[in-house]
Amino acid sequence: MLAAAVAVAIAAWLRPGGDAAAIRDRLDGLAQEINGGLTDEGAALARAQQIGDYFDPDVTIELGRGSAPIEGRDRVIDMAARLQPRTNRFTIRFTDVSVTMTSPATATAEFTAEFVPRAGTGGTLDAREFSATLVRSEGEWRIATVEAVEALR
Amino acid sequence: MPSFRDLTFGRQPRRTAVRVIVLLAVSAAVLRWVLIPVRAEGISMEPTYRSGQLLFVNRLAYTFSRPSRGDIIAIRLAGPHVLYIKRVIALPGERVGIDHGAVDVDGRPLTEPYVVRRRAWDIPAVTLGSDEYFVVGDNRGMDAADHDFGRVDRVRILGRVIF
């Protein structure tokens, strides 16, 4: 009886959390897309388009530390295509993802982005905290805003 | 002469199994909630800690007290899996700045025996809020632009690095 109760409790704890789980999967998908590795120019553009699909058309990205905001999905696609040789030096992973549903079609996500250098690039691991809002459009969760959170000011 | 089974599992295997399970559960709980193992990455805490070194963070260190000057603390980002490891150099309410590499707290120079190399950092003085601490790594031989430091809110302090 006790074992059954423990099993039920563990199953409930491990059960995917609906929209929150979908948003986590979406962020993992974005990381996988970014981590795809260096490709030729045509493939880089195709990958940039796929990365762009994770963002709302009116997305705003504020990286802080004096960086100008990145506004609009087209700008994100352009930057993803142009910067691929640089972004290929590291892989990205999102950890400590915390999702809060603010309505059935909007959510906020707080997470740490870890930038892990690929072997042989000589880089060092870096990590930054971000806060994002996501909107559900056409059945998919898309990133509408991203803002860097400064843990140390 | 005791058998191999007796030597391995004891004379009461069921009791031994319970002991092993309890030991594993207690160890897992301690390493999850009390004494968190972390691996240092980067050079900002050299020479005190080197990149790749295994450290432990005591999450209960500040349950009944507040961080003190000189403590090496773990600071969380979005959660507890990625942490900054930094040293506290100024406490809530104090005014702190760095002038040509020398730390000044409330108008008095701070003695820092743990700093071996020092570049001429210039950081304008700030007055800390009631729940703010000023933290910085021990490696002042690197460019200030490559070094994460500054004011941190108390709520972000996960615990104290003990070894």
Side-chain angles (χ1 to χ4, degrees):
Chain A
M1 193 69 168
L2 180 65
V6 169
V8 167
I10 290 173
W13 187 52
L14 294 176
R15 190 171 62 90
D19 284 333
I23 288 168
R24 287 192 178 88
D25 289 346
R26 198 75 176 134
L27 290 173
D28 285 343
L30 173 60
Q32 281 179 21
E33 206 65 64
I34 294 170
N35 296 340
L38 197 60
T39 54
D40 61 47
E41 197 175 323
L45 194 58
R47 177 172 294 155
Q49 295 277 3
Q50 286 176 318
I51 290 171
D53 191 50
Y54 286 84
F55 294 89
D56 185 76
D58 298 320
V59 63
T60 303
I61 301 174
E62 302 210 28
L63 299 176
R65 303 191 178 197
S67 304
I70 301 163
E71 293 178 331
R73 179 195 285 168
D74 291 344
R75 181 91 176 109
V76 171
I77 292 171
D78 178 52
M79 290 185 74
R82 281 193 299 113
L83 297 179
Q84 198 187 110
R86 280 173 63 185
T87 56
N88 189 57
R89 292 180 196 156
F90 57 82
T91 60
I92 191 169
R93 64 179 175 229
F94 301 120
T95 53
D96 291 325
V97 179
S98 164
V99 177
T100 305
M101 300 303 300
T102 48
S103 83
T106 58
T108 61
E110 268 131 36
F111 56 88
T112 301
E114 287 183 88
F115 304 92
V116 184
R118 287 187 199 268
T121 60
T124 56
L125 185 143
D126 196 8
R128 292 281 175 260
E129 182 178 341
F130 291 95
S131 174
T133 59
L134 294 98
V135 294
R136 195 205 309 260
S137 68
E138 298 165 358
E140 286 284 13
W141 285 100
R142 291 192 166 82
I143 298 167
T145 67
V146 181
E147 191 177 349
V149 178
E150 300 292 350
L152 303 179
R153 304 182 300 277
Chain B
M1 182 177 168
S3 67
F4 175 76
R5 185 174 172 227
D6 284 351
L7 283 173
T8 307
F9 300 107
R11 289 190 181 137
Q12 295 175 298
R14 190 172 292 180
R15 183 173 289 184
T16 302
V18 169
R19 284 177 178 159
V20 168
I21 289 169
V22 168
L23 185 64
L24 289 174
V26 169
S27 301
V30 167
L31 291 175
R32 172 75 177 77
W33 287 294
V34 181
L35 211 57
I36 307 173
V38 295
R39 190 167 295 284
E41 290 274 0
I43 60 171
S44 73
M45 277 302 291
E46 288 187 359
T48 308
Y49 298 132
R50 300 201 171 276
S51 188
Q53 191 172 343
L54 182 64
L55 311 172
F56 286 89
V57 176
N58 178 7
R59 288 190 74 166
L60 302 181
Y62 301 124
T63 306
F64 302 108
S65 65
R66 296 171 70 95
S68 303
R69 195 185 332 277
D71 285 359
I72 298 176
I73 60 172
I75 299 159
R76 69 164 179 79
L77 297 181
H81 293 101
V82 181
L83 306 168
Y84 284 130
I85 302 294
K86 300 288 173 190
R87 189 183 293 274
V88 175
I89 62 166
L91 305 174
E94 292 181 333
R95 187 164 178 79
V96 58
I98 303 179
D99 183 18
H100 273 67
V103 176
D104 182 285
V105 179
D106 284 343
R108 290 184 295 277
L110 181 67
T111 304
E112 296 185 286
Y114 40 80
V115 176
V116 174
R117 292 194 304 134
R118 204 185 285 270
R119 284 200 187 180
W121 294 9
D122 283 310
I123 309 299
V126 292
T127 301
L128 302 176
S130 59
D131 266 323
E132 283 185 336
Y133 294 79
F134 199 95
V135 298
V136 62
D138 289 353
N139 186 355
R140 315 285 170 76
M142 56 195 293
D143 278 342
D146 297 331
H147 194 120
D148 289 310
F149 62 90
R151 290 174 290 148
V152 62
D153 294 326
R154 165 89 192 260
V155 293
R156 282 189 177 271
I157 299 175
L158 199 68
R160 183 178 177 194
V161 178
I162 51 172
F163 54 85

